[in-house]
Amino acid sequence: MADDVDARAAQVSAFGHDLLAGLSKTPRSIAPKYFYDAAGSALFDRICALPEYYPTRTELGILERHGREMADQMGSRVDVVEFGAGSLAKIRLLLDAFSERDALGRYFPVDISAQHLEGAARRLRTDYAWLHVQPVVADYMRHEQLRVLEQMPGRKVGFFPGSTIGNFDADEAMMFLQLAARLLAGGGLLVGVDLVKDPLTLHRAYNDSQGVTAAFNLNVLRRANEELGADFDLKAFSHYAFYDPLERRIEMHLVSSRKQTVHLAGSAFRFEEGESLHTENSHKFTIDGFRALAASAGFKPGPVWTDEAKLFSVHWLESPACHGDAA
């Protein structure tokens, strides 16, 4: 319990530091990882069930149809590390795909939201009593927070569903893949990747009719008010999401509806009407483009599974037992 409290305190401090830095920049931005406190994680679970939001149900369908093939690639007696584990819904399909209960070693779900992670892990232990589940409260982009996993003996494979890789910019994606290749050396990574498609489909996915995505976006401001003592007026900011075809990405913003001043940690930040806080990118990939990116990070690209409409893909990437960092 003490470790969880320390981890939450450290994360609040990191949130405050990063939000101050992001508000001081032009244009203003904040990393999307700060969406995921307990309330934000619950809202994202609701997003995943929306009719407009195709990625979750499409990826689940791929995992259901091809889970046995994926399990064969992962091999037996492996420890599974899930990055950004969330509600732990998708790992269940992989667990069910393994033919024997003893085919898996340990399962390490890694997530930034301690409260949400522990609750999901508790439910998973109940349903899979034979599985050793050890939650890791960490930012998986911070190598030092994953050292406990890197030092553990045995073959490790990673699971990174949901196309979270698309939330990174090019440098961050390369950094994560290089980190994962080192951590999983001798094993591999199973990763979900959203594909380039009709912009209208993308627009609907990030602008749902129920307004859940808007609430999810605004939740980062509510969190700043509650945890950091900021004074964002949530009614004075609006959710705005659009697809940039040249960058091949969805951009999410919170747009100020009027001139206003926001206070945080003794600093004042003036927003003009129409000025935004950039909260998330969601890059879309081609299959060949992502395989090339993975190869440049040190992975050996393997099989790729997609749905019939080619909306989404799941890639198996083998990580050689010994390799240096990619240039």
Side-chain angles (χ1 to χ4, degrees):
M1 179 64 71
D3 288 344
D4 286 348
V5 171
D6 289 345
R8 285 196 293 270
Q11 191 53 53
V12 168
S13 176
F15 179 30
H17 176 273
D18 289 352
L19 183 55
L20 281 169
L23 290 172
S24 301
K25 295 190 303 185
T26 303
R28 291 169 167 152
S29 65
I30 184 64
K33 64 185 178 183
Y34 294 114
F35 284 137
Y36 298 99
D37 63 347
S41 295
L43 283 166
F44 185 72
D45 287 346
R46 288 180 59 195
I47 288 172
C48 292
L50 292 170
E52 299 98 329
Y53 195 73
Y54 66 87
T56 300
R57 64 173 177 273
T58 305
E59 186 178 32
L60 286 170
I62 294 170
L63 292 169
E64 287 173 349
R65 286 191 298 274
H66 302 287
R68 179 66 251 179
E69 300 163 49
M70 297 173 187
D72 288 342
Q73 292 293 327
M74 295 168 75
S76 60
R77 308 299 190 272
V78 295
D79 291 337
V80 177
V81 178
E82 182 173 0
F83 302 99
S87 64
L88 312 190
K90 294 170 185 175
I91 191 63
R92 292 168 179 265
L93 296 174
L94 283 181
L95 294 175
D96 293 341
F98 281 88
S99 58
E100 299 177 5
R101 289 186 172 186
D102 62 354
L104 284 180
R106 296 161 293 181
Y107 170 58
F108 299 97
V110 180
D111 202 273
I112 200 170
S113 176
Q115 182 180 351
H116 192 71
L117 178 61
E118 187 51 51
R122 187 165 51 248
R123 292 188 292 274
L124 193 70
R125 291 189 191 103
T126 299
D127 295 338
Y128 297 86
W130 50 269
L131 182 65
H132 178 91
V133 181
Q134 185 174 330
V136 179
V137 179
D139 179 349
Y140 53 76
M141 291 294 286
R142 302 281 296 275
H143 177 257
E144 69 274 12
Q145 295 187 19
L146 297 181
R147 282 198 181 118
V148 63
L149 295 176
E150 190 172 34
Q151 294 166 358
M152 287 182 176
R155 184 169 175 268
K156 294 182 284 290
V157 298
F159 185 41
F160 195 37
S163 198
T164 306
I165 189 76
N167 295 146
F168 302 146
D169 64 28
D171 289 342
E172 290 170 334
M174 177 61 73
M175 183 172 69
F176 168 77
L177 289 170
Q178 289 177 337
L179 183 155
R182 292 194 299 272
L183 175 66
L184 305 170
L189 177 66
L190 190 67
V191 55
V193 178
D194 201 6
L195 299 176
V196 173
K197 60 183 63 63
D198 171 27
L200 183 58
T201 300
L202 291 167
H203 176 82
R204 289 171 175 164
Y206 292 86
N207 294 277
D208 65 276
S209 59
Q210 298 179 43
V212 182
T213 308
F216 173 71
N217 200 5
L218 284 162
N219 182 67
V220 74
L221 303 187
R222 178 207 58 78
R223 183 182 178 191
N225 288 349
E226 292 185 0
E227 295 185 13
L228 305 175
D231 60 354
F232 286 99
D233 181 355
L234 273 62
K235 294 181 180 179
F237 286 87
S238 298
H239 166 73
Y240 179 55
F242 65 92
Y243 180 63
D244 183 335
L246 297 179
E247 297 291 339
R248 290 180 171 176
R249 73 187 188 194
I250 286 282
E251 288 190 20
M252 285 209 325
H253 295 254
L254 291 166
V255 180
S256 176
S257 61
R258 57 176 171 80
K259 290 184 178 181
Q260 57 182 306
T261 300
V262 174
H263 300 89
L264 173 64
S267 297
F269 300 93
R270 182 165 181 79
F271 281 81
E272 298 297 326
E273 181 179 356
E275 189 175 358
S276 78
L277 176 66
H278 188 175
T279 54
E280 183 179 58
N281 290 323
S282 183
H283 293 86
K284 312 305 172 184
F285 297 87
T286 64
I287 289 175
D288 288 344
F290 184 77
R291 285 169 61 86
L293 174 65
S296 66
F299 283 104
K300 179 181 177 182
V304 183
W305 300 273
T306 67
D307 59 293
E308 291 183 1
K310 297 293 196 316
L311 296 175
F312 201 91
S313 60
V314 178
H315 297 242
W316 171 249
L317 308 174
E318 180 183 341
S319 182
C322 296
H323 61 76
D325 291 343

